[in-house]
Amino acid sequence: MPAPTNPFKAALREQRFQLGLWVALASPYAAEVVSNSGYDWLLIDGEHAPNDLPLLSAQFRAVTASASHPIVRLPVGDTALIKQILDVGVQTLLIPMVESAEQARELVRATRYPPHGIRGVGAALARASQFGRIADYLHTANDQICLLLQIESRAGLAAIDEIAALEGVDGLFIGPSDLAADMGYLGSPGHPDVRAAIVDAFARIDKAGKARGIMTLDLAQAREYRDLGADFMAIGTDVTSLVRATQELRQEFTDEQGHKPDKLESGY
């Protein structure tokens, strides 16, 4: 059985734009429904959605049956959690709230087998190696891990150059909502000062040769981020899409003409 490759990581290396969607309903069935919608990648959210490791694993398996690449966001960059989710078979991780090169360096080490890191060697028990059936998994896994780090604060912005310079960091993902809050603009990720910070961050990440990621629910803003050079971007979530669709359906039936759906409060 051949060792698994990471098509998302290959696409970033080849500078092919990757379009994604957030999966936060914490349901393998819902993840499977969304997975055939044509997105390049789906983010299974373990930070803000009510997920635990078995549930993340089940959603990951549901998405792997589709053409969309599953990415998992853990609630925190914990070495033990990283070890477990990689053993499930996840190849691409998004880690929130990274603020220093030291923190980023430890995250890289957590995703690599020795001597390049500290990932525990237990692949024979893991789905990642097809329970030992992939004979060369231990020798190929490091190269196929894609590590994406979220920059969501002024401290993170200040450390971008050092973080992006690290080997093993494949991309930096700007979190506009948390960044806006940290800058004093809670609930206003489109504020001109936040936009200026994102433009500067994108330029610095690109200079380091790393992929630039971001997320927004505003399509006009999404097109702007794409024009600014976003290499991978999410343009919605399953939760907000469900809320919007069900609300619009009711309003259409009750003939609430001229009434647009109420604007949803968004953390993105």
Side-chain angles (χ1 to χ4, degrees):
M1 185 176 292
T5 58
N6 187 332
F8 179 82
K9 184 171 184 174
L12 293 185
R13 283 178 170 172
E14 296 165 9
Q15 298 183 320
R16 288 185 281 118
F17 175 69
Q18 299 292 285
L19 185 65
L21 190 83
W22 239 242
V23 173
L25 285 169
S27 163
Y29 200 73
E32 183 178 356
V33 171
V34 173
S35 70
N36 288 295
S37 298
Y39 290 89
D40 297 308
W41 57 277
L42 297 176
L43 188 287
I44 303 168
D45 190 12
E47 184 184 16
H48 292 297
N51 279 309
D52 58 13
L53 191 68
L55 198 48
L56 290 171
S57 176
Q59 291 166 87
F60 167 75
R61 291 196 304 274
V63 175
T64 56
S66 74
S68 295
H69 179 73
I71 300 174
V72 170
R73 176 165 73 170
L74 291 174
V76 65
D78 178 79
T79 300
L81 287 177
I82 290 172
K83 174 171 57 179
Q84 288 182 300
I85 203 67
L86 291 181
D87 281 350
V88 164
V90 174
Q91 293 180 306
T92 304
L93 288 176
L94 180 63
I95 305 297
M97 294 292 180
V98 178
E99 296 189 325
S100 71
E102 180 181 2
Q103 183 185 3
R105 191 174 294 109
E106 289 307 305
L107 291 169
V108 172
R109 282 168 48 79
T111 63
R112 266 64 179 176
Y113 285 124
H116 305 292
I118 58 172
R119 180 182 174 187
V121 181
L125 305 179
R127 183 180 184 274
S129 72
Q130 284 300 304
F131 311 103
R133 295 184 178 94
I134 300 175
D136 62 344
Y137 177 80
L138 292 177
H139 301 286
T140 58
N142 284 0
D143 290 339
Q144 299 304 322
I145 299 299
C146 183
L147 181 61
L148 310 172
L149 305 181
Q150 284 191 238
I151 305 299
E152 307 178 83
S153 67
R154 288 167 294 174
L157 289 178
I160 275 184
D161 297 332
E162 293 81 7
I163 293 171
L166 292 174
E167 184 177 355
V169 173
D170 297 286
L172 278 71
F173 184 98
I174 306 299
S177 291
D178 281 293
L179 178 59
D182 191 61
M183 293 176 66
Y185 305 114
L186 179 64
S188 301
H191 190 280
D193 290 351
V194 180
R195 183 190 181 279
I198 292 171
V199 170
D200 178 67
F202 269 22
R204 292 160 66 194
I205 296 167
D206 185 51
K207 184 177 180 180
K210 300 299 173 68
R212 297 155 291 180
I214 202 161
M215 192 242 193
T216 179
L217 303 186
D218 184 326
L219 289 184
Q221 196 171 60
R223 294 185 181 96
E224 181 183 10
Y225 289 151
R226 179 68 184 113
D227 290 341
L228 288 174
D231 299 295
F232 63 104
M233 178 171 60
I235 57 172
T237 78
D238 55 357
V239 173
T240 52
S241 296
L242 179 61
V243 171
R244 185 180 298 110
T246 53
Q247 184 168 319
E248 287 179 350
L249 179 64
R250 175 186 60 78
Q251 291 176 348
E252 182 178 354
F253 177 77
T254 56
D255 198 28
E256 296 181 33
Q257 294 185 10
H259 177 75
K260 294 183 179 180
D262 297 330
K263 184 177 179 179
L264 301 174
E265 282 296 323
S266 169
Y268 296 99

